[in-house]
Amino acid sequence: MNDLISIVIPAYNIEAYLARTLDSVLAQTYENIEVIVVNDGSKDGTGAVMDRYAALDPRIRAIHKE
């Protein structure tokens, strides 16, 4: 049995890089992962990118902080 691996990605104003980062993480060969993306009050579209990916892949959890 493969153990669950948690990957935590802090996200603050990284809209331009977040999609590429998430695509890279999701493309790994080890599939038993959960990706926790924490938006720490971004002022750009980081939250929208997180939500879009979380809606498409159940392994992604988007957390929004003030």
Side-chain angles (χ1 to χ4, degrees):
M1 182 173 152
N2 293 332
D3 292 327
L4 178 66
I5 302 293
S6 299
I7 302 165
V8 180
I9 301 173
Y12 181 77
N13 291 341
I14 60 168
E15 176 184 13
Y17 312 104
L18 186 55
R20 184 173 55 177
T21 300
L22 292 173
D23 287 341
S24 177
V25 169
L26 295 173
Q28 300 303 309
T29 57
Y30 192 87
E31 293 186 5
N32 194 18
I33 62 172
E34 69 173 344
V35 182
I36 302 166
V37 188
V38 181
N39 179 5
D40 197 19
S42 294
K43 306 291 186 222
D44 63 359
T46 297
V49 174
M50 291 169 52
D51 291 339
R52 186 169 62 246
Y53 271 80
L56 295 174
D57 195 314
R59 297 176 292 174
I60 299 177
R61 204 169 91 200
I63 298 173
H64 300 277
K65 298 284 186 175
E66 292 290 325

